[in-house]
């Protein structure tokens, strides 16, 4: 369905009825911003509003969906075209939604995988352990400066992951 064409048609028919956007919106118990969005082709009204809108604008559902006045002799053909177009639009929306769902599932799997790696590393890391100071750390540089044999120094520190409460 051509949203812009339908929107222009709604605006044309509204003006033909000498209604403002606000007046049409009030008759439908909606905001004039909604009517503005329809007329600009941003979106369509909710399906539940179609019948009331068509009644107010004095048009048929087929004319609404086609976005144009339909002569009586071509109404059956236009109705079939509208049904086919709606079916195609629904299939395209379903394909799009399936792609989005697949993407979200892949993102979720990647997130779970990365999170599980972090949790696993956290769980397998010992609570208390001894590790060497890095060569460029302040402690190692100080020890090398004070030593009579610089470069041959090994310096370790004790790490405790447990929180001790006094």
């Amino acid at each position: 369905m051509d949203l812009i064409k339908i929107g222009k048609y709604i605006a044309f028919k509204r003006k033909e009825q000498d209604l403002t956007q606000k007046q049409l919106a009030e008759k439908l118990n909606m905001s004039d911003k909604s009517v503005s969005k329809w007329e600009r082709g941003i979106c369509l009204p909710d399906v539940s509003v179609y019948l009331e809108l068509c009644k107010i604008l004095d048009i048929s559902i087929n004319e609404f969906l086609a976005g144009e006045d339909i002569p009586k002799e071509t109404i059956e053909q236009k109705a079939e075209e509208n049904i086919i177009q709606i079916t195609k639009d629904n299939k395209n929306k379903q394909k799009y939604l399936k792609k989005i769902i697949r993407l979200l599932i892949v993102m979720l799997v990647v997130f779970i995988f990365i999170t599980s790696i972090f949790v696993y590393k956290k769980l397998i890391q010992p609570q208390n352990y001894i590790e060497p100071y890095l060569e460029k750390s302040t402690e190692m540089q100080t020890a090398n400066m004070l030593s009579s044999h610089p470069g041959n120094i090994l310096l370790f520190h004790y790490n405790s992951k447990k929180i001790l409460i006094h």
Side-chain angles (χ1 to χ4, degrees):
M1 290 189 298
D2 187 345
L3 296 182
I4 294 173
K5 185 177 179 184
I6 293 171
K8 287 180 180 179
Y9 186 63
I10 292 171
F12 172 74
K13 287 299 189 176
R14 174 184 57 78
K15 291 172 186 171
E16 213 176 57
Q17 300 287 329
D18 289 326
L19 293 171
T20 64
Q21 286 182 344
K22 186 171 182 105
Q23 289 169 330
L24 178 58
E26 287 172 356
K27 287 184 177 206
L28 296 167
N29 294 321
M30 304 191 98
S31 72
D32 55 335
K33 290 179 182 178
S34 295
V35 175
S36 174
K37 286 181 182 178
W38 307 337
E39 291 184 358
R40 289 182 287 145
I42 294 174
C43 63
L44 285 177
D46 188 66
V47 175
S48 63
V49 178
Y50 285 7
L51 288 175
E52 185 67 23
L53 177 62
C54 289
K55 183 179 173 185
I56 293 168
L57 298 178
D58 195 28
I59 59 175
S60 70
I61 290 283
N62 281 322
E63 290 172 319
F64 168 75
L65 295 173
E68 62 187 15
D69 290 331
I70 302 172
K72 293 203 186 297
E73 54 273 358
T74 61
I75 198 158
E76 189 174 315
Q77 177 189 355
K78 200 61 172 176
E80 289 174 1
E81 289 173 11
N82 286 337
I83 290 171
I84 290 169
Q85 187 61 43
I86 289 170
T87 305
K88 285 180 183 177
D89 289 347
N90 283 339
K91 283 184 180 179
N92 289 338
K93 284 180 185 176
Q94 286 177 350
K95 286 180 184 178
Y96 179 72
L97 286 173
K98 285 179 182 178
K99 285 180 183 178
I100 288 176
I101 290 170
R102 283 188 206 118
L103 178 66
L104 288 174
I105 289 172
V106 167
M107 289 172 53
L108 180 65
V109 167
V110 169
F111 175 76
I112 290 171
F113 179 73
I114 290 172
T115 304
S116 64
I117 288 173
F118 283 115
V119 168
Y120 176 74
K121 283 186 175 183
K122 189 73 174 169
L123 290 175
I124 65 164
Q125 189 176 39
Q127 295 296 316
N128 301 312
Y129 57 96
I130 296 174
E131 67 180 359
Y133 278 104
L134 297 175
E135 192 65 41
K136 296 191 181 218
S137 69
T138 306
E139 292 84 355
M140 282 298 290
Q141 288 176 355
T142 304
N144 277 323
M145 222 171 45
L146 296 174
S147 170
S148 58
H149 303 289
N152 293 333
I153 305 262
L154 293 176
L155 204 56
F156 295 89
H157 62 97
Y158 180 74
N159 271 330
S160 175
K161 297 288 181 176
K162 290 185 181 176
I163 298 172
L164 301 174
I165 301 173
H166 298 285

